[in-house]
Amino acid sequence: MRRSGHLVGGLCALGVPFLPGVAMAQEGGVLLTFGIENRIEISRNAGLAIPAEGTEVANVTLLSFGVVSETALDRLTFGVTGGLIARTNDDGSEFDFGRGAVNFAYHREVPAAVLDLTADFRSDDADAFGDDLGDIGAEGTRSDLSLSARKETGRTSGVGLAFGLAYDRTDYQDTTDPDLVDTEEWRGDIAAILRFSEIATGRVGVRYRHREEDDLGTTTTDEATAFAGLDYAISERADLSVELGYTRTETEDSDIITRERGPEASVRLSYDMPVGTAYAQLSLATDADEGQRETFEIGRALETGRDTLSARLGVTHGDETGTDLIGGLAWTRALPDGSFGITLERRVSYDADADERVADSIFSLSWAKNLNESTTLLFDATYELSDAPSERIEQVALDAGFTHALTADWNLSGGVGYTVRNDADGQAESPRLFVAISRDFQFRP
Protein backbone atom coordinates (compact mmCIF):
# COMPACT_ATOMS: atom_id res chain seq x y z
CA MET A 1 0.00 0.00 0.00
CA ARG A 2 1.20 3.50 -0.75
CA ARG A 3 1.94 5.60 2.32
CA SER A 4 0.84 9.18 2.59
CA GLY A 5 1.62 12.29 4.59
CA HIS A 6 2.92 15.85 4.53
CA LEU A 7 6.09 16.68 2.66
CA VAL A 8 7.14 19.11 5.33
CA GLY A 9 3.54 19.94 5.96
CA GLY A 10 1.15 21.92 8.00
CA LEU A 11 2.35 25.25 9.25
CA CYS A 12 5.47 25.13 7.10
CA ALA A 13 3.30 26.68 4.42
CA LEU A 14 3.11 29.81 6.53
CA GLY A 15 6.64 30.62 5.53
CA VAL A 16 5.89 30.45 1.81
CA PRO A 17 5.00 33.83 0.30
CA PHE A 18 1.82 34.16 -1.69
CA LEU A 19 2.26 34.43 -5.41
CA PRO A 20 2.90 38.14 -5.94
CA GLY A 21 0.50 38.21 -8.86
CA VAL A 22 -2.36 38.26 -6.36
CA ALA A 23 -0.94 41.08 -4.28
CA MET A 24 -3.42 43.79 -3.44
CA ALA A 25 -2.94 46.87 -5.57
CA GLN A 26 -4.26 50.36 -5.25
CA GLU A 27 -6.93 51.40 -7.71
CA GLY A 28 -5.49 51.76 -11.20
CA GLY A 29 -1.98 51.66 -12.57
CA VAL A 30 0.68 48.95 -12.63
CA LEU A 31 2.18 47.38 -9.52
CA LEU A 32 5.33 45.21 -9.63
CA THR A 33 6.18 42.85 -6.75
CA PHE A 34 9.44 41.01 -6.11
CA GLY A 35 10.03 38.46 -3.38
CA ILE A 36 12.81 36.28 -2.03
CA GLU A 37 12.75 33.76 0.78
CA ASN A 38 15.28 31.34 2.22
CA ARG A 39 14.00 28.54 4.45
CA ILE A 40 15.48 25.57 6.28
CA GLU A 41 13.18 22.56 6.59
CA ILE A 42 13.90 19.50 8.76
CA SER A 43 11.54 16.52 8.76
CA ARG A 44 11.67 12.89 9.84
CA ASN A 45 9.66 10.20 8.06
CA ALA A 46 8.04 12.85 5.88
CA GLY A 47 6.22 10.18 3.82
CA LEU A 48 4.71 8.58 6.95
CA ALA A 49 6.19 5.25 5.91
CA ILE A 50 6.27 1.96 7.84
CA PRO A 51 9.03 1.23 8.79
CA ALA A 52 9.91 4.87 9.40
CA GLU A 53 12.22 6.69 7.00
CA GLY A 54 15.14 8.80 8.10
CA THR A 55 15.60 12.53 8.51
CA GLU A 56 15.70 14.97 5.61
CA VAL A 57 17.16 18.47 5.70
CA ALA A 58 16.27 20.88 2.91
CA ASN A 59 17.46 24.39 2.15
CA VAL A 60 14.96 26.14 -0.13
CA THR A 61 15.45 29.50 -1.83
CA LEU A 62 12.18 30.80 -3.29
CA LEU A 63 12.08 33.63 -5.83
CA SER A 64 8.87 35.32 -6.94
CA PHE A 65 7.70 38.04 -9.28
CA GLY A 66 4.27 39.50 -9.92
CA VAL A 67 2.43 42.15 -11.89
CA VAL A 68 -0.96 43.72 -11.23
CA SER A 69 -2.40 46.10 -13.83
CA GLU A 70 -5.80 47.69 -13.39
CA THR A 71 -7.88 50.17 -15.39
CA ALA A 72 -11.52 51.20 -15.29
CA LEU A 73 -12.42 48.38 -17.71
CA ASP A 74 -10.04 45.52 -16.99
CA ARG A 75 -7.69 43.92 -14.48
CA LEU A 76 -4.67 41.70 -15.16
CA THR A 77 -2.66 39.73 -12.61
CA PHE A 78 0.41 37.59 -13.23
CA GLY A 79 2.67 35.81 -10.77
CA VAL A 80 5.50 33.30 -10.96
CA THR A 81 7.34 31.47 -8.17
CA GLY A 82 10.19 28.95 -8.22
CA GLY A 83 12.63 27.46 -5.77
CA LEU A 84 16.22 26.19 -5.69
CA ILE A 85 16.18 23.17 -3.38
CA ALA A 86 19.15 21.40 -1.78
CA ARG A 87 18.22 18.20 0.08
CA THR A 88 20.20 15.86 2.30
CA ASN A 89 18.79 12.53 3.53
CA ASP A 90 19.78 8.90 4.05
CA ASP A 91 20.13 8.42 0.29
CA GLY A 92 22.63 11.27 -0.07
CA SER A 93 22.35 14.84 -1.31
CA GLU A 94 20.63 16.35 -4.32
CA PHE A 95 20.07 19.79 -5.80
CA ASP A 96 17.18 20.67 -8.10
CA PHE A 97 14.63 23.29 -9.08
CA GLY A 98 11.08 22.86 -7.86
CA ARG A 99 7.95 24.27 -6.23
CA GLY A 100 7.28 26.17 -9.42
CA ALA A 101 3.99 27.96 -9.95
CA VAL A 102 2.59 30.37 -12.53
CA ASN A 103 -0.75 32.19 -12.25
CA PHE A 104 -2.44 34.44 -14.77
CA ALA A 105 -5.89 36.07 -14.69
CA TYR A 106 -7.51 38.68 -16.93
CA HIS A 107 -10.97 40.19 -16.46
CA ARG A 108 -12.57 42.75 -18.77
CA GLU A 109 -16.07 44.07 -18.30
CA VAL A 110 -18.18 46.56 -20.24
CA PRO A 111 -21.95 47.03 -19.93
CA ALA A 112 -22.74 44.65 -22.78
CA ALA A 113 -20.05 41.97 -22.32
CA VAL A 114 -17.60 40.35 -19.91
CA LEU A 115 -14.47 38.31 -20.61
CA ASP A 116 -12.45 36.13 -18.21
CA LEU A 117 -9.18 34.35 -18.98
CA THR A 118 -7.19 32.26 -16.47
CA ALA A 119 -4.09 30.07 -16.56
CA ASP A 120 -2.50 28.19 -13.66
CA PHE A 121 0.52 25.91 -13.55
CA ARG A 122 2.10 24.14 -10.60
CA SER A 123 4.96 21.64 -10.40
CA ASP A 124 6.04 20.05 -7.12
CA ASP A 125 6.65 16.76 -5.35
CA ALA A 126 3.72 14.42 -5.96
CA ASP A 127 2.95 14.17 -2.24
CA ALA A 128 2.78 17.96 -1.77
CA PHE A 129 -0.66 18.40 -3.39
CA GLY A 130 -2.73 16.59 -0.76
CA ASP A 131 -5.87 16.20 -2.89
CA ASP A 132 -6.91 12.96 -1.17
CA LEU A 133 -5.93 11.52 2.20
CA GLY A 134 -5.41 8.16 0.56
CA ASP A 135 -3.40 9.40 -2.43
CA ILE A 136 -0.79 11.77 -0.99
CA GLY A 137 2.67 10.70 0.07
CA ALA A 138 3.70 9.34 -3.34
CA GLU A 139 7.17 9.55 -4.84
CA GLY A 140 8.00 11.49 -7.97
CA THR A 141 6.95 14.83 -9.41
CA ARG A 142 3.52 16.10 -10.36
CA SER A 143 2.66 18.97 -12.72
CA ASP A 144 -0.80 20.52 -13.05
CA LEU A 145 -1.92 22.84 -15.85
CA SER A 146 -5.31 24.59 -16.02
CA LEU A 147 -6.55 26.95 -18.73
CA SER A 148 -9.97 28.54 -19.03
CA ALA A 149 -11.77 31.20 -21.06
CA ARG A 150 -15.28 32.50 -20.66
CA LYS A 151 -17.23 35.23 -22.44
CA GLU A 152 -20.75 36.59 -22.16
CA THR A 153 -22.30 38.98 -24.66
CA GLY A 154 -25.64 40.73 -24.97
CA ARG A 155 -25.87 41.55 -21.26
CA THR A 156 -27.91 44.70 -21.93
CA SER A 157 -30.32 43.11 -24.42
CA GLY A 158 -33.16 40.62 -24.18
CA VAL A 159 -31.09 37.76 -25.60
CA GLY A 160 -27.46 37.09 -24.72
CA LEU A 161 -24.87 34.41 -25.36
CA ALA A 162 -22.43 32.82 -22.93
CA PHE A 163 -19.76 30.27 -23.76
CA GLY A 164 -16.72 28.82 -22.05
CA LEU A 165 -13.79 26.51 -22.68
CA ALA A 166 -11.46 24.86 -20.14
CA TYR A 167 -8.48 22.50 -20.26
CA ASP A 168 -6.87 20.58 -17.36
CA ARG A 169 -3.83 18.32 -17.47
CA THR A 170 -1.94 16.39 -14.79
CA ASP A 171 1.42 14.74 -15.49
CA TYR A 172 3.52 12.50 -13.22
CA GLN A 173 7.25 11.82 -13.52
CA ASP A 174 9.46 9.27 -11.75
CA THR A 175 6.52 7.68 -9.90
CA THR A 176 6.19 4.02 -8.93
CA ASP A 177 2.53 3.99 -7.91
CA PRO A 178 0.35 2.55 -10.70
CA ASP A 179 -2.64 4.54 -9.45
CA LEU A 180 -0.93 7.84 -10.31
CA VAL A 181 -1.68 8.22 -14.01
CA ASP A 182 -1.53 11.18 -16.37
CA THR A 183 -4.91 12.73 -17.13
CA GLU A 184 -6.20 15.24 -19.67
CA GLU A 185 -9.63 16.87 -19.77
CA TRP A 186 -11.43 19.31 -22.06
CA ARG A 187 -14.68 21.03 -21.09
CA GLY A 188 -16.89 23.36 -23.09
CA ASP A 189 -20.33 24.89 -22.83
CA ILE A 190 -22.54 27.34 -24.68
CA ALA A 191 -25.88 28.81 -23.64
CA ALA A 192 -28.40 31.37 -24.78
CA ILE A 193 -29.43 33.78 -22.02
CA LEU A 194 -33.09 34.83 -22.26
CA ARG A 195 -34.07 37.88 -20.18
CA PHE A 196 -37.85 37.64 -20.08
CA SER A 197 -38.22 40.46 -17.54
CA GLU A 198 -36.49 42.14 -14.64
CA ILE A 199 -37.38 39.20 -12.39
CA ALA A 200 -37.07 36.22 -14.78
CA THR A 201 -34.04 35.03 -16.74
CA GLY A 202 -33.84 31.77 -18.66
CA ARG A 203 -31.00 29.82 -20.24
CA VAL A 204 -30.80 26.99 -22.75
CA GLY A 205 -27.57 25.30 -23.72
CA VAL A 206 -25.27 22.30 -23.89
CA ARG A 207 -22.17 21.16 -21.98
CA TYR A 208 -19.50 18.73 -23.15
CA ARG A 209 -16.61 16.99 -21.35
CA HIS A 210 -13.84 14.78 -22.77
CA ARG A 211 -11.41 13.06 -20.38
CA GLU A 212 -8.48 10.71 -21.01
CA GLU A 213 -6.70 8.71 -18.30
CA ASP A 214 -3.35 7.20 -19.29
CA ASP A 215 -3.81 3.96 -17.36
CA LEU A 216 -3.20 0.44 -18.68
CA GLY A 217 -6.19 0.62 -21.00
CA THR A 218 -6.22 4.39 -21.64
CA THR A 219 -9.69 5.13 -20.34
CA THR A 220 -11.63 7.72 -22.37
CA THR A 221 -14.83 9.40 -21.20
CA ASP A 222 -17.15 11.58 -23.29
CA GLU A 223 -20.05 13.31 -21.58
CA ALA A 224 -22.67 15.57 -23.18
CA THR A 225 -25.48 17.39 -21.37
CA ALA A 226 -28.37 19.45 -22.73
CA PHE A 227 -29.97 21.76 -20.18
CA ALA A 228 -32.53 24.50 -19.65
CA GLY A 229 -32.82 26.72 -16.61
CA LEU A 230 -34.75 29.60 -15.07
CA ASP A 231 -33.83 32.18 -12.41
CA TYR A 232 -36.88 33.85 -10.91
CA ALA A 233 -37.20 36.50 -8.20
CA ILE A 234 -40.23 35.40 -6.19
CA SER A 235 -40.08 38.48 -3.98
CA GLU A 236 -37.62 41.10 -2.84
CA ARG A 237 -36.04 38.49 -0.57
CA ALA A 238 -36.73 35.11 -2.18
CA ASP A 239 -35.10 33.77 -5.35
CA LEU A 240 -35.73 30.50 -7.17
CA SER A 241 -33.27 28.82 -9.55
CA VAL A 242 -34.24 25.72 -11.52
CA GLU A 243 -32.20 23.75 -14.06
CA LEU A 244 -33.23 20.57 -15.85
CA GLY A 245 -31.02 18.55 -18.17
CA TYR A 246 -30.26 15.18 -19.70
CA THR A 247 -26.79 13.60 -19.76
CA ARG A 248 -25.29 10.99 -22.03
CA THR A 249 -21.94 9.44 -21.03
CA GLU A 250 -19.79 7.02 -23.02
CA THR A 251 -16.72 5.39 -21.44
CA GLU A 252 -14.16 3.30 -23.32
CA ASP A 253 -11.70 1.18 -21.31
CA SER A 254 -9.55 -1.46 -23.04
CA ASP A 255 -11.89 -1.49 -26.05
CA ILE A 256 -14.88 -2.07 -23.77
CA ILE A 257 -17.52 0.64 -24.20
CA THR A 258 -20.15 1.40 -21.59
CA ARG A 259 -22.93 3.95 -21.93
CA GLU A 260 -25.04 5.68 -19.31
CA ARG A 261 -27.95 8.05 -19.80
CA GLY A 262 -30.00 9.90 -17.25
CA PRO A 263 -31.39 13.17 -15.96
CA GLU A 264 -29.60 16.13 -14.39
CA ALA A 265 -31.60 18.51 -12.21
CA SER A 266 -31.13 21.25 -9.65
CA VAL A 267 -33.67 23.31 -7.70
CA ARG A 268 -32.42 26.01 -5.32
CA LEU A 269 -34.49 28.37 -3.19
CA SER A 270 -32.61 31.17 -1.41
CA TYR A 271 -33.93 33.73 1.05
CA ASP A 272 -32.33 36.96 2.26
CA MET A 273 -32.41 37.05 6.06
CA PRO A 274 -31.95 40.18 8.21
CA VAL A 275 -28.34 39.00 8.49
CA GLY A 276 -27.03 36.80 5.68
CA THR A 277 -28.92 34.28 3.56
CA ALA A 278 -30.54 30.86 3.89
CA TYR A 279 -31.11 28.30 1.15
CA ALA A 280 -32.46 24.87 0.32
CA GLN A 281 -31.25 22.87 -2.67
CA LEU A 282 -32.25 19.59 -4.30
CA SER A 283 -30.07 18.09 -7.01
CA LEU A 284 -29.96 14.98 -9.17
CA ALA A 285 -26.86 13.84 -11.07
CA THR A 286 -26.11 10.85 -13.32
CA ASP A 287 -22.62 9.32 -13.32
CA ALA A 288 -21.31 6.63 -15.66
CA ASP A 289 -19.78 4.61 -12.77
CA GLU A 290 -22.15 5.28 -9.88
CA GLY A 291 -25.48 5.75 -11.62
CA GLN A 292 -27.79 8.36 -10.16
CA ARG A 293 -27.21 10.42 -7.01
CA GLU A 294 -29.82 12.58 -5.30
CA THR A 295 -28.77 15.23 -2.77
CA PHE A 296 -30.79 17.59 -0.58
CA GLU A 297 -29.15 20.36 1.46
CA ILE A 298 -30.17 23.32 3.57
CA GLY A 299 -27.68 26.06 4.36
CA ARG A 300 -27.12 29.32 6.15
CA ALA A 301 -24.52 32.04 5.62
CA LEU A 302 -24.05 35.19 7.65
CA GLU A 303 -21.44 37.81 8.43
CA THR A 304 -21.56 40.07 11.47
CA GLY A 305 -19.08 42.51 12.90
CA ARG A 306 -17.04 39.74 14.55
CA ASP A 307 -18.23 36.46 13.06
CA THR A 308 -18.36 34.86 9.64
CA LEU A 309 -20.43 31.67 9.46
CA SER A 310 -21.29 29.23 6.69
CA ALA A 311 -23.22 26.07 7.53
CA ARG A 312 -24.98 23.37 5.52
CA LEU A 313 -26.63 20.04 6.33
CA GLY A 314 -28.03 17.49 3.96
CA VAL A 315 -28.58 13.92 2.89
CA THR A 316 -27.33 12.19 -0.24
CA HIS A 317 -28.28 8.90 -1.88
CA GLY A 318 -26.32 7.07 -4.57
CA ASP A 319 -27.30 3.94 -6.46
CA GLU A 320 -24.02 2.26 -5.48
CA THR A 321 -23.42 3.79 -2.04
CA GLY A 322 -26.80 4.10 -0.35
CA THR A 323 -27.91 6.99 1.85
CA ASP A 324 -25.56 9.15 3.92
CA LEU A 325 -25.56 12.33 5.95
CA ILE A 326 -23.39 15.19 4.64
CA GLY A 327 -22.70 18.72 5.76
CA GLY A 328 -20.21 21.38 6.60
CA LEU A 329 -19.51 24.26 8.98
CA ALA A 330 -17.01 27.10 8.71
CA TRP A 331 -16.92 29.66 11.51
CA THR A 332 -14.39 32.45 12.00
CA ARG A 333 -14.42 34.94 14.87
CA ALA A 334 -12.30 38.09 14.92
CA LEU A 335 -10.70 38.62 18.33
CA PRO A 336 -9.29 41.87 19.69
CA ASP A 337 -5.77 40.48 19.22
CA GLY A 338 -6.20 37.85 16.53
CA SER A 339 -8.72 35.35 15.19
CA PHE A 340 -10.20 31.92 15.86
CA GLY A 341 -11.70 29.50 13.36
CA ILE A 342 -13.37 26.08 13.19
CA THR A 343 -14.10 23.98 10.10
CA LEU A 344 -16.17 20.79 9.96
CA GLU A 345 -17.03 18.79 6.85
CA ARG A 346 -18.44 15.39 5.97
CA ARG A 347 -18.72 14.27 2.36
CA VAL A 348 -19.42 10.99 0.59
CA SER A 349 -18.12 9.86 -2.79
CA TYR A 350 -17.86 6.75 -4.92
CA ASP A 351 -14.47 5.19 -5.75
CA ALA A 352 -14.92 3.64 -9.18
CA ASP A 353 -11.53 1.85 -9.10
CA ALA A 354 -12.30 0.08 -5.81
CA ASP A 355 -16.07 -0.05 -6.46
CA GLU A 356 -16.89 1.21 -2.97
CA ARG A 357 -18.26 4.11 -0.96
CA VAL A 358 -15.79 6.50 0.67
CA ALA A 359 -16.83 8.81 3.51
CA ASP A 360 -14.45 11.67 4.33
CA SER A 361 -14.68 13.67 7.57
CA ILE A 362 -12.52 16.70 8.38
CA PHE A 363 -12.23 18.81 11.51
CA SER A 364 -9.80 21.71 11.81
CA LEU A 365 -9.17 24.40 14.37
CA SER A 366 -7.04 27.50 13.80
CA TRP A 367 -5.99 30.28 16.15
CA ALA A 368 -3.88 33.39 15.62
CA LYS A 369 -2.75 35.85 18.29
CA ASN A 370 -1.01 39.17 17.66
CA LEU A 371 1.53 39.69 20.41
CA ASN A 372 2.29 43.16 19.10
CA GLU A 373 2.34 45.07 15.81
CA SER A 374 5.19 42.95 14.44
CA THR A 375 4.75 39.44 15.93
CA THR A 376 1.97 36.90 15.47
CA LEU A 377 1.60 33.39 16.90
CA LEU A 378 -0.32 30.75 14.96
CA PHE A 379 -1.72 27.33 15.83
CA ASP A 380 -3.52 24.77 13.68
CA ALA A 381 -4.96 21.32 14.46
CA THR A 382 -6.53 19.05 11.84
CA TYR A 383 -8.22 15.65 12.08
CA GLU A 384 -9.02 13.75 8.89
CA LEU A 385 -10.84 10.44 8.48
CA SER A 386 -11.31 8.48 5.27
CA ASP A 387 -13.63 5.52 5.86
CA ALA A 388 -14.11 2.85 3.18
CA PRO A 389 -14.78 -0.91 3.32
CA SER A 390 -11.26 -1.66 2.10
CA GLU A 391 -9.41 0.68 4.48
CA ARG A 392 -9.93 3.20 7.29
CA ILE A 393 -7.41 6.06 7.40
CA GLU A 394 -7.10 8.48 10.32
CA GLN A 395 -4.62 11.35 10.37
CA VAL A 396 -3.99 14.05 12.97
CA ALA A 397 -1.71 17.04 12.31
CA LEU A 398 -0.67 19.66 14.89
CA ASP A 399 1.26 22.77 13.86
CA ALA A 400 2.44 25.85 15.72
CA GLY A 401 4.51 28.77 14.52
CA PHE A 402 5.13 32.49 14.39
CA THR A 403 5.70 35.37 12.01
CA HIS A 404 7.76 38.43 12.92
CA ALA A 405 8.39 41.61 10.94
CA LEU A 406 12.08 42.37 11.34
CA THR A 407 11.78 45.58 9.33
CA ALA A 408 9.26 47.12 6.96
CA ASP A 409 10.48 44.74 4.22
CA TRP A 410 12.05 41.74 5.99
CA ASN A 411 10.09 39.00 7.79
CA LEU A 412 11.11 36.04 9.94
CA SER A 413 8.89 32.99 10.37
CA GLY A 414 9.20 29.54 11.88
CA GLY A 415 7.20 26.61 13.09
CA VAL A 416 7.04 23.03 14.32
CA GLY A 417 4.61 20.29 13.41
CA TYR A 418 3.71 16.72 14.25
CA THR A 419 1.58 14.26 12.26
CA VAL A 420 0.24 10.85 13.33
CA ARG A 421 -1.45 8.49 10.86
CA ASN A 422 -3.23 5.18 11.35
CA ASP A 423 -4.26 2.93 8.46
CA ALA A 424 -4.21 -0.70 7.38
CA ASP A 425 -0.40 -0.86 7.71
CA GLY A 426 -0.28 0.46 11.27
CA GLN A 427 0.75 3.76 12.84
CA ALA A 428 3.28 6.24 11.46
CA GLU A 429 4.58 9.52 12.91
CA SER A 430 6.39 12.51 11.42
CA PRO A 431 7.82 15.53 13.27
CA ARG A 432 9.04 18.57 11.33
CA LEU A 433 10.22 22.14 11.76
CA PHE A 434 11.24 25.09 9.63
CA VAL A 435 12.65 28.60 9.87
CA ALA A 436 12.52 31.17 7.07
CA ILE A 437 13.54 34.72 6.32
CA SER A 438 11.88 36.60 3.48
CA ARG A 439 11.55 39.98 1.84
CA ASP A 440 8.87 41.39 -0.44
CA PHE A 441 9.08 44.79 -2.05
CA GLN A 442 6.80 46.62 -4.46
CA PHE A 443 7.03 49.61 -6.72
CA ARG A 444 5.11 51.31 -9.49
CA PRO A 445 6.96 52.04 -12.75
Side-chain angles (χ1 to χ4, degrees), residues 61-196:
T61 301
L62 294 172
L63 303 174
S64 59
F65 169 73
V67 179
V68 178
S69 176
E70 188 169 10
T71 70
L73 297 180
D74 55 16
R75 176 181 173 87
L76 181 147
T77 63
F78 172 80
V80 57
T81 296
L84 302 173
I85 307 171
R87 290 191 179 96
T88 300
N89 51 39
D90 293 346
D91 297 328
S93 300
E94 62 178 5
F95 181 84
D96 59 9
F97 178 81
R99 304 191 186 180
V102 180
N103 299 97
F104 168 84
Y106 178 75
H107 175 82
R108 180 176 176 85
E109 184 172 354
V110 296
V114 61
L115 171 68
D116 284 292
L117 304 173
T118 64
D120 296 285
F121 174 80
R122 181 185 174 191
S123 180
D124 205 339
D125 294 328
D127 59 357
F129 287 77
D131 293 339
D132 190 328
L133 189 61
D135 289 341
I136 63 176
E139 298 179 353
T141 301
R142 170 176 165 178
S143 298
D144 283 0
L145 173 65
S146 296
L147 305 172
S148 68
R150 186 157 197 87
K151 185 173 183 178
E152 182 180 348
T153 62
R155 302 174 72 200
T156 57
S157 61
V159 179
L161 182 66
F163 56 91
L165 184 65
Y167 174 77
D168 294 326
R169 183 179 180 87
T170 296
D171 292 310
Y172 291 95
Q173 293 182 338
D174 303 323
T175 59
T176 57
D177 192 329
D179 293 333
L180 301 179
V181 298
D182 298 343
T183 60
E184 185 177 47
E185 181 173 305
W186 286 93
R187 297 183 305 278
D189 65 89
I190 184 170
I193 310 299
L194 311 173
R195 298 177 180 87
F196 302 117

Side-chain angles (χ1 to χ4, degrees), residues 219-224 246-253 255-263 286-292 319-320:
T219 303
T220 302
T221 302
D222 290 285
E223 180 181 281
Y246 189 80
T247 296
R248 180 182 183 276
T249 304
E250 180 177 288
T251 303
E252 181 177 354
D253 185 3
D255 296 328
I256 299 177
I257 299 176
T258 59
R259 294 180 176 88
E260 182 73 25
R261 299 181 181 183
T286 302
D287 181 79
D289 297 312
E290 186 184 13
Q292 292 188 6
D319 290 347
E320 299 293 335

Side-chain angles (χ1 to χ4, degrees), residues 283-302:
S283 62
L284 169 65
T286 302
D287 181 79
D289 297 312
E290 186 184 13
Q292 292 188 6
R293 173 173 290 278
E294 302 90 24
T295 302
F296 175 74
E297 281 188 329
I298 56 174
R300 180 78 164 92
L302 62 87

